C-alpha cells in the first residue's frame, strides 16, 4: 500500500492520499487483469465496474483520480457515452480518463485521437496486457496529469479565501483582460462578475479625477515586473467616483513572462461617496443580524471610513462581553492608517522582506529597523484633506509656527501680547475639603467623572482638590519625600497661574487632563510598562502642561511677535513656556518646592521626563509621536496580541517594554497626548461643553487677529460663520481617530472608543441637518 505523498504548490504544502483507480471493463480479460495487478504494484486502490450504471455510481461514491475505460469493443457498452456521462458530473473536473483502444497492425493507418478528446478522454492506451506496460502508464499519469489536477483542486481553498476576503481583488491577463473578481470587488464597484469577466479594463468607464498620465505611469511600472501601489480614483457602475488604495502585483507565468496582474483594492475613505459606500456595504452585509453582530461590524470599520451608524452600540452596556475585541479591531486599523509617514512605509517593506530572507539578511534588517525606530524620521508629508477648509485651518493653526507672509514679504512683529509675570496671582489658603466636594471626588476614578460639576463647587479651582486626591492615591508625596502641605501649596500656586478668563485653557482643562492621565495609569498594560517615577512625572506634567496659557495658539504668538515667541525662537513657544515657568515657580519658593528633598540624579531624571511629556503636547510633531508609537509599540506587539491570549502574555509584553527606556518614553508621550485631547472620548454632554469652550477661544483669537491686523490663522473660526460640528468632525478625522485606535490597541479602552463613536455620530447628525452650533436649536430652548 502506497503512503501519502507531500506535494508543494507555491507556498502551500499539501498531502496527497494514495491514488484511486476505476476500471470499466464489461468482461474480465488479460487487459483488465494487467491494469488490476499494475494498481496492486503501484499501491493504488482499485475498483472494477462492469456496466455504465455501476461505473457512474462507483465514481460518484469514490471520486477516483484515474478511470480506465475499455474502448476496444462496442458490443457491451459505448465507451464514449460512459465518458460523457462521467464528464457531466462535477467531481470529474479533476479526473484523468484513459481509453484502452485496439492495437493497430503495421499496415494500418494510425487513427486520430481527436474524437476521443472530444468525448472527454484525456489520453489513449494501445492494448497491451503487460503488467509493466500498464504500471508505467498509470505511474506516468500519476506524476503528470493527476499531480497537476491535485494542485489545481487545492486552488479551491485559495478561491474560497478570495471569495471571503474583505479586500476587493481583481485578476487580469497581461493584456488587462479581466479574469477574476471577488464578491468584495463586486460590492465595491457595483458590478456583477458576469458583467466584468472577459472584458478589457479599457472598456470600463474611467474616473476623470486621476492625473492625465497616471494610468500610463502605472502601466509602465507594472510592465517592468515591479509592484505598484498608490491612490487611484475608479468609477462605479452608478457613475460616481471613489478613491481607492490600490496595490498591483505582476505574476510570472508561461514562458517566464508576466501573465497576470493581481490588484488589491480598498477604499481610501476621505469623501462622502466612499463613506456612503461603506455604509451601504455594512447595511447589506448585516441586515437581519442581532445587535451584537451589528456592533461588531461597526467596530471593524474605521471611523474615518464610515458615516458611523452606532445604533447598536448605544444600546449596549460598556462591559458587554464582545468589547475586548475592540482592542484587536483597533490593532487591525493600525496597519491601514491613511495618514502614513514615508518612514512607516519603509519599515513595512523591510518587515515584509524579512519574512523570506536568509537569517543573515534578516538580522541585518533588524539592525536597520532599530536605527529607523530611534531617529527623527516619522513626520508625514501633510497636505490639505479633500480641500476641506476646517481641516486646512486646523492643520495650519495647530501644526505650523504660524508665520504667514504679509505684503512686502516681511513678518509682522509687535508688542501687543504682554506676558510679563511681575504681577502673578498669589495663591489663596484652602482649608479642609468641603463635604460636597469630597462627595463629588468619590467618583473620580470613573472615566465619566464630571469635571464641570467639580469646577462649579470649587469656584473654578478644581485642580487643587482633584490633584490632592489623585496625588495621594499614587503616592506622589512619598516618592518626592515632601509634606502634604508642600504639595497643597504647590497645587495652589500652579492653579493660580492658570487664567480663569480663558474659556478652554484654564485650570479645569488641566484638571481634566490630570484625571485622564490618572485613568490611563491605572490600565493594566500601562501600569505594567512604567515605573513609579514615570507615574509621578506623568501626573506632574499633566498638572503643569498648560500653565499660564494666554488663550491663544503658538501661531498667533509667532505672528504677533510676542516676547515668548522671540524668547523661544518661534519653536514650541507655549509648551516651552509652560515647563520653564512651572519649574521657575516651583524652585523659587521653598514652601511649594516639591522637589527640594529628592537627590540631584532623581530630580534630573524626573525633570527630563516632565519636560519631554509637556513638549509632546505640541501639535507640530503629532504624527511623529503617533507613528513612532505604532511602529515601536503596537506593531511589535501585534503577533503576541493575535497569537496568544494567555494570562501571562500582557506580562511578557510589558516586561519587554520596561527593558527599553525609549519605549517607556513613547508610551508616556502618547498617554499625555491622548489625555490632552480626550474631549471627543468623554460622555456626550462633557464633549459638547468642551467643544463649545474651545470654539469660543478660537473665535476670540480670530476677533483679536482682525482687530490687530494680524494674519487670521484659522479663518473658519469666525463666530458669525463657523460650523462647530464640521470643525469637530475634521478634528476627530484628522487627529483623533488614528491616535486613539493606537492607544486603545495598547491600553484597551472600550468605554472611550464607544463615547468617541457616539460623539462622532452626534456631530455628523448636526452637520447633515446644517446646524452650526453644538446642539439643535430645539435642544437649546429646552
Amino acid at each position: 500500500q502506497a503512503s501519502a505523498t507531500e506535494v508543494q504548490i507555491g507556498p502551500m504544502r499539501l498531502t496527497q492520499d494514495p491514488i484511486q483507480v476505476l476500471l470499466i471493463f464489461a468482461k474480465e480479460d488479460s487487459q483488465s487483469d494487467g491494469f488490476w495487478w499494475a494498481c496492486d504494484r503501484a499501491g493504488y486502490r482499485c475498483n472494477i465496474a462492469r456496466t455504465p450504471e455501476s461505473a457512474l455510481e462507483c465514481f460518484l461514491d469514490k471520486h477516483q483520480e484515474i478511470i480506465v475505460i475499455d474502448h476496444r469493443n462496442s458490443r457491451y457498452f459505448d465507451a464514449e457515452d460512459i465518458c460523457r456521462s462521467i464528464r457531466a458530473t462535477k467531481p470529474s473536473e479533476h479526473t484523468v480518463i484513459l481509453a484502452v483502444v485496439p492495437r493497430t497492425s503495421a499496415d494500418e493507418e494510425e487513427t486520430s485521437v481527436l474524437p476521443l478528446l472530444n468525448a472527454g478522454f484525456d489520453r489513449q492506451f494501445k492494448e497491451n496486457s503487460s503488467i509493466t506496460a500498464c504500471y508505467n502508464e498509470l505511474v506516468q499519469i500519476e506524476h503528470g496529469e493527476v499531480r497537476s489536477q491535485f494542485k489545481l483542486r487545492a486552488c479551491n481553498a485559495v478561491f474560497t479565501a478570495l471569495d471571503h476576503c474583505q479586500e476587493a481583488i481583481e485578476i487580469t491577463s497581461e493584456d488587462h483582460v479581466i479574469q477574476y473578481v471577488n464578491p468584495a470587488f463586486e460590492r465595491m464597484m457595483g458590478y456583477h462578475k458576469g458583467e466584468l469577466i472577459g472584458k478589457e479594463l479599457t472598456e470600463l468607464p474611467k474616473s476623470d479625477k486621476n492625473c492625465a498620465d497616471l494610468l500610463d505611469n502605472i502601466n509602465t511600472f507594472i510592465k517592468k515586473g515591479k509592484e505598484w501601489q498608490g491612490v487611484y480614483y475608479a468609477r462605479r457602475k452608478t457613475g460616481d467616483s471613489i478613491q481607492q488604495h490600490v496595490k498591483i502585483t505582476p505574476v510570472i507565468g508561461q514562458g517566464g513572462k508576466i501573465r497576470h496582474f493581481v490588484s488589491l483594492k480598498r477604499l481610501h475613505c476621505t469623501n462622502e461617496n466612499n463613506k456612503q459606500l461603506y455604509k451601504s456595504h455594512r447595511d447589506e452585509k448585516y441586515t437581519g443580524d442581532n445587535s451584537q453582530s451589528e456592533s461588531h461590524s461597526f467596530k471593524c470599520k474605521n471611523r474615518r471610513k464610515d458615516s458611523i451608524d452606532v445604533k447598536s452600540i448605544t444600546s449596549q452596556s460598556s462591559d458587554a462581553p464582545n468589547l475586548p475585541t475592540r482592542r484587536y479591531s483597533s490593532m487591525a486599523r493600525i496597519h491601514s492608517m491613511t495618514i502614513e509617514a514615508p518612514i512607516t512605509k519603509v519599515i513595512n517593506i523591510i518587515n515584509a522582506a524579512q519574512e523570506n530572507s536568509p537569517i543573515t539578511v534578516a538580522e541585518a534588517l533588524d539592525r536597520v529597523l532599530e536605527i529607523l525606530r530611534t531617529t527623527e524620521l516619522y513626520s508625514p508629508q501633510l497636505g490639505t484633506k479633500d480641500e476641506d477648509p476646517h481641516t486646512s485651518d486646523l492643520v495650519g493653526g495647530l501644526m505650523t509656527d504660524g508665520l504667514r507672509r504679509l505684503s512686502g514679504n516681511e513678518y509682522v512683529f509687535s508688542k501687543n501680547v504682554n506676558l510679563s509675570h511681575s504681577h502673578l496671582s498669589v495663591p489663596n489658603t484652602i482649608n479642609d475639603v468641603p463635604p460636597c466636594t469630597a462627595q463629588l471626588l468619590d467618583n473620580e476614578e470613573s472615566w465619566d467623572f464630571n469635571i464641570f460639576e467639580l469646577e462649579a463647587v470649587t469656584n473654578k479651582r478644581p485642580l487643587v482638590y482633584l490633584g490632592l486626591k489623585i496625588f495621594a492615591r499614587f503616592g506622589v508625596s512619598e516618592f518626592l519625600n515632601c509634606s502634604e502641605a508642600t504639595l497643597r501649596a504647590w497645587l495652589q500656586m500652579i492653579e493660580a497661574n492658570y487664567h480663569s478668563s480663558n474659556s478652554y485653557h484654564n485650570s479645569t482643562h488641566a484638571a481634566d487632563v490630570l484625571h485622564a492621565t490618572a485613568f490611563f495609569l491605572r490600565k493594566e498594560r500601562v501600569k505594567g510598562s512604567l515605573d513609579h517615577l514615570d507615574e509621578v512625572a506623568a501626573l506632574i506634567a499633566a498638572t503643569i502642561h498648560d500653565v499660564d496659557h494666554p488663550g491663544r495658539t503658538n501661531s498667533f504668538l509667532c505672528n504677533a511677535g510676542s516676547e515668548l515667541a522671540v524668547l523661544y525662537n518661534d519653536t514650541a513657544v507655549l509648551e516651552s513656556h509652560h515647563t520653564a515657568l512651572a519649574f521657575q515657580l516651583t524652585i523659587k519658593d521653598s514652601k511649594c518646592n516639591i522637589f527640594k528633598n529628592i537627590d540631584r540624579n532623581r530630580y534630573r531624571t524626573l525633570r527630563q521626563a516632565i519636560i519631554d511629556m509637556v513638549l509632546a503636547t505640541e501639535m507640530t510633531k503629532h504624527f511623529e509621536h503617533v507613528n513612532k508609537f505604532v511602529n515601536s509599540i503596537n506593531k511589535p506587539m501585534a503577533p503576541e496580541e493575535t497569537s496568544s491570549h494567555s494570562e501571562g502574555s500582557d506580562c511578557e509584553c510589558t516586561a519587554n517594554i520596561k527593558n527599553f527606556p525609549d519605549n517607556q518614553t513613547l508610551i508616556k508621550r502618547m498617554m499625555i497626548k491622548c489625555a490632552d485631547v480626550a474631549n471627543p472620548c468623554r460622555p456626550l454632554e462633557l464633549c459638547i461643553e468642551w467643544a463649545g469652550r474651545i470654539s469660543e477661544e478660537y473665535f476670540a483669537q480670530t476677533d483679536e487677529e482682525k482687530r490687530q491686523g494680524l494674519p487670521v490663522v484659522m479663518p473658519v473660526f469666525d463666530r458669525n460663520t463657523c460650523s462647530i460640528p464640521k470643525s469637530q468632525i475634521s478634528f476627530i478625522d484628522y487627529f483623533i481617530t488614528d491616535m486613539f485606535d493606537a492607544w486603545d490597541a495598547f491600553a484597551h479602552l472600550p468605554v472611550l472608543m464607544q463615547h468617541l463613536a457616539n460623539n462622532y455620530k452626534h456631530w455628523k447628525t448636526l452637520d447633515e441637518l446644517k446646524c452650526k452650533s453644538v446642539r439643535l436649536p430645539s435642544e437649546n430652548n429646552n
Side-chain angles (χ1 to χ4, degrees):
Q1 188 68 33
S3 59
T5 306
E6 292 285 336
V7 179
Q8 192 87 15
I9 172 171
M12 200 172 179
R13 179 169 292 181
L14 312 169
T15 303
Q16 183 177 8
D17 290 334
I19 302 299
Q20 296 186 91
V21 178
L22 173 60
L23 305 178
I24 305 175
F25 286 80
K27 299 287 185 180
E28 183 180 340
D29 62 6
S30 60
Q31 185 62 72
S32 65
D33 287 345
F35 276 112
W36 173 270
W37 291 112
C39 289
D40 183 69
R41 180 190 294 183
Y44 301 158
R45 297 167 183 163
C46 187
N47 296 95
I48 297 182
R50 301 297 185 193
T51 65
E53 294 77 19
S54 62
L56 187 59
E57 182 181 353
C58 183
F59 173 70
L60 291 175
D61 180 44
K62 304 287 187 184
H63 295 186
Q64 289 89 348
E65 288 82 12
I66 302 174
I67 298 177
V68 182
I69 304 178
D70 188 1
H71 197 286
R72 295 171 298 171
N73 196 322
S74 59
R75 188 184 349 167
Y76 302 109
F77 51 65
D78 187 322
E80 294 184 10
D81 279 351
I82 294 176
C83 184
R84 290 190 187 94
S85 65
I86 291 173
R87 283 294 182 211
T89 65
K90 179 68 175 174
S92 71
E93 182 182 2
H94 302 291
T95 297
V96 180
I97 304 181
L98 180 70
V100 179
V101 298
R103 188 194 306 272
T104 54
S105 59
D107 56 345
E108 282 185 286
E109 187 177 348
E110 192 75 30
T111 58
S112 171
V113 76
L114 284 178
L116 294 176
L117 297 177
N118 291 335
F121 288 99
D122 293 288
R123 56 193 293 154
Q124 69 175 13
F125 177 79
K126 294 281 182 71
E127 183 177 12
N128 186 340
S129 59
S130 161
I131 295 174
T132 301
C134 295
Y135 172 83
N136 289 343
E137 180 70 13
L138 293 176
V139 169
Q140 288 180 78
I141 292 174
E142 179 197 356
H143 287 268
E145 291 99 321
V146 169
R147 186 70 52 82
S148 298
Q149 290 294 339
F150 178 71
K151 291 180 179 180
L152 284 175
R153 191 180 305 181
C155 290
N156 288 335
V158 179
F159 280 113
T160 301
L162 293 176
D163 285 346
H164 290 85
C165 178
Q166 293 185 2
E167 282 189 308
I169 298 173
E170 171 191 70
I171 302 176
T172 66
S173 69
E174 68 270 34
D175 298 320
H176 304 296
V177 175
I178 300 173
Q179 299 173 318
Y180 168 85
V181 295
N182 69 342
F185 186 95
E186 294 177 274
R187 290 193 298 272
M188 179 186 287
M189 299 304 297
Y191 288 97
H192 184 268
K193 63 183 177 183
E195 301 173 273
L196 297 173
I197 293 176
K199 282 194 174 183
E200 290 188 25
L201 291 179
T202 53
E203 297 178 51
L204 300 179
K206 299 290 184 297
S207 172
D208 55 5
K209 293 190 175 184
N210 293 307
C211 299
D213 58 350
L214 180 60
L215 285 176
D216 291 336
N217 290 342
I218 294 173
N219 204 37
T220 301
F221 209 77
I222 61 178
K223 285 290 186 181
K224 293 178 181 177
K226 297 180 179 178
E227 187 178 83
W228 182 89
Q229 58 181 323
V231 177
Y232 175 80
Y233 282 95
R235 189 178 294 278
R236 300 187 74 234
K237 185 178 179 181
T238 55
D240 52 321
S241 291
I242 55 173
Q243 200 175 11
Q244 301 171 326
H245 277 292
V246 181
K247 183 177 182 180
I248 305 175
T249 305
V251 179
I252 304 299
Q254 185 180 8
K257 298 178 180 178
I258 295 172
R259 297 298 182 184
H260 309 279
F261 295 107
V262 177
S263 301
L264 278 70
K265 307 183 179 188
R266 56 185 172 84
L267 289 178
H268 178 64
C269 292
T270 59
N271 59 43
E272 287 303 319
N273 283 345
N274 290 17
K275 293 172 185 175
Q276 291 302 320
L277 183 58
Y278 256 99
K279 187 177 186 302
S280 64
H281 285 184
R282 189 182 67 246
D283 291 346
E284 282 176 25
K285 187 171 182 180
Y286 294 101
T287 299
D289 287 1
N290 60 32
S291 62
Q292 182 174 346
S293 64
E294 285 180 354
S295 173
H296 184 72
S297 75
F298 161 76
K299 289 174 188 173
C300 291
K301 302 289 186 290
N302 189 329
R303 265 171 304 282
R304 175 175 288 141
K305 301 175 184 175
D306 208 327
S307 57
I308 308 301
D309 178 4
V310 292
K311 57 182 180 293
S312 57
I313 287 184
T314 55
S315 63
Q316 179 181 319
S317 64
S318 61
D319 57 351
N322 67 338
L323 279 175
T325 64
R326 164 66 233 178
R327 188 173 0 161
Y328 307 116
S329 61
S330 290
M331 181 60 70
R333 285 199 295 277
I334 283 163
H335 291 269
S336 59
M337 281 187 176
T338 55
I339 300 173
E340 193 173 44
I343 191 64
T344 309
K345 295 178 181 177
V346 170
I347 287 176
N348 288 340
I349 292 168
I350 293 173
N351 280 329
Q354 279 185 303
E355 293 179 10
N356 300 311
S357 298
I359 185 67
T360 52
V361 176
E363 287 173 351
L365 291 177
D366 267 335
R367 292 195 294 275
V368 172
L369 289 172
E370 277 180 35
I371 296 168
L372 292 176
R373 285 177 175 144
T374 55
T375 51
E376 304 298 313
L377 300 171
Y378 290 85
S379 297
Q381 298 162 344
L382 295 172
T384 59
K385 197 177 181 188
D386 281 347
E387 299 180 353
D388 172 23
H390 289 80
T391 303
S392 299
D393 284 2
L394 278 169
V395 173
L398 299 176
M399 298 197 64
T400 68
D401 60 12
L403 293 174
R404 306 276 179 107
R405 291 273 179 186
L406 298 180
S407 59
N409 286 329
E410 295 195 359
Y411 295 119
V412 171
F413 293 96
S414 69
K415 297 293 182 182
N416 291 322
V417 180
N418 185 357
L419 294 175
S420 170
H421 302 291
S422 57
H423 302 291
L424 288 173
S425 305
V426 178
N428 298 318
T429 301
I430 299 178
N431 297 319
D432 294 334
V433 178
C436 59
T437 304
Q439 187 176 357
L440 265 179
L441 289 171
D442 286 342
N443 189 40
E444 60 85 15
E445 292 191 39
S446 166
W447 178 256
D448 295 350
F449 175 70
N450 192 328
I451 197 72
F452 299 116
E453 290 182 358
L454 185 63
E455 177 191 62
V457 300
T458 60
N459 193 25
K460 296 188 176 181
R461 290 185 295 175
L463 185 57
V464 170
Y465 293 101
L466 184 65
L468 286 171
K469 180 80 180 288
I470 289 175
F471 279 40
R473 179 151 46 82
F474 282 88
V476 175
S477 292
E478 291 81 357
F479 179 86
L480 296 173
N481 191 26
C482 73
S483 65
E484 185 181 335
T486 302
L487 183 60
R488 181 188 295 265
W490 180 80
L491 285 167
Q492 288 178 261
M493 179 269 298
I494 293 296
E495 182 154 42
N497 284 281
Y498 275 94
H499 299 193
S500 60
S501 57
N502 291 342
S503 59
Y504 182 85
H505 287 102
N506 49 40
S507 69
T508 304
H509 167 65
D512 185 62
V513 175
L514 174 62
H515 174 266
T517 302
F519 182 86
F520 294 151
L521 285 171
R522 290 197 304 274
K523 305 308 289 184
E524 282 301 317
R525 188 173 280 175
V526 178
K527 185 165 57 178
S529 302
L530 302 179
D531 302 315
H532 196 190
L533 183 145
D534 298 314
E535 294 177 348
V536 172
L539 296 173
I540 294 173
T543 304
I544 70 167
H545 84 283
D546 272 334
V547 68
D548 197 41
H549 196 294
R552 301 292 181 262
T553 63
N554 279 334
S555 301
F556 178 95
L557 299 180
C558 293
N559 282 333
S562 73
E563 291 177 1
L564 285 180
V566 173
L567 177 63
Y568 293 111
N569 299 314
D570 296 338
T571 303
V573 174
L574 285 171
E575 292 72 25
S576 300
H577 173 61
H578 302 321
T579 46
L581 178 65
F583 278 100
Q584 287 168 8
L585 294 173
T586 301
I587 63 178
K588 80 174 185 179
D589 186 348
S590 178
K591 291 180 182 177
C592 58
N593 186 356
I594 56 175
F595 305 125
K596 61 186 175 184
N597 293 328
I598 59 175
D599 66 66
R600 182 184 299 275
N601 288 337
R602 176 169 283 197
Y603 171 69
R604 292 277 300 179
T605 305
L606 187 65
R607 172 174 156 79
Q608 287 305 313
I610 294 167
I611 293 171
D612 184 82
M613 277 186 274
V614 175
L615 291 180
T617 63
E618 197 238 338
M619 292 301 287
T620 61
K621 292 191 175 182
H622 170 80
F623 293 105
E624 175 183 338
H625 295 313
V626 174
N627 273 302
K628 274 193 170 184
F629 184 85
V630 167
N631 286 295
S632 297
I633 304 295
N634 288 135
K635 288 185 178 179
M637 294 176 89
E640 301 172 54
E641 195 78 50
T642 53
S643 65
S644 173
H645 301 299
S646 63
E647 194 171 324
S649 61
D650 264 9
C651 297
E652 293 170 18
C653 293
T654 53
N656 291 336
I657 289 170
K658 274 197 169 183
N659 292 331
F660 296 97
D662 283 351
N663 286 347
Q664 289 179 306
T665 299
L666 295 179
I667 291 169
K668 287 182 288 184
R669 288 175 184 171
M670 191 71 159
M671 176 170 61
I672 197 167
K673 280 181 61 60
C674 289
D676 189 27
V677 292
N679 309 150
C681 299
R682 292 290 189 182
L684 179 60
E685 287 306 311
L686 305 186
C687 171
I688 289 172
E689 176 65 21
W690 284 123
R693 291 187 176 202
I694 190 63
S695 299
E696 177 54 39
E697 199 165 286
Y698 287 160
F699 293 158
Q701 175 171 310
T702 300
D703 293 342
E704 187 170 352
E705 285 166 336
K706 290 178 178 179
R707 283 195 306 272
Q708 296 189 21
L710 295 173
V712 178
V713 173
M714 295 181 282
V716 295
F717 283 98
D718 184 313
R719 66 175 70 252
N720 298 314
T721 59
C722 180
S723 166
I724 295 177
K726 280 187 185 297
S727 69
Q728 287 295 306
I729 291 166
S730 294
F731 185 65
I732 292 171
D733 278 344
Y734 209 79
F735 294 108
I736 298 300
T737 300
D738 283 346
M739 181 168 71
F740 271 90
D741 277 335
W743 187 233
D744 169 52
F746 175 75
H748 186 42
L749 305 162
V751 176
L752 279 72
M753 305 311 285
Q754 188 169 311
H755 284 318
L756 179 59
N758 294 340
N759 297 337
Y760 192 88
K761 172 75 177 301
H762 170 78
W763 300 123
K764 290 291 287 186
T765 301
L766 292 183
D767 185 43
E768 287 162 6
L769 295 172
K770 309 298 182 186
C771 176
K772 293 186 176 183
S773 65
V774 295
R775 300 179 190 276
L776 290 172
S778 58
E779 295 178 17
N780 289 328
N781 295 332
N782 291 338

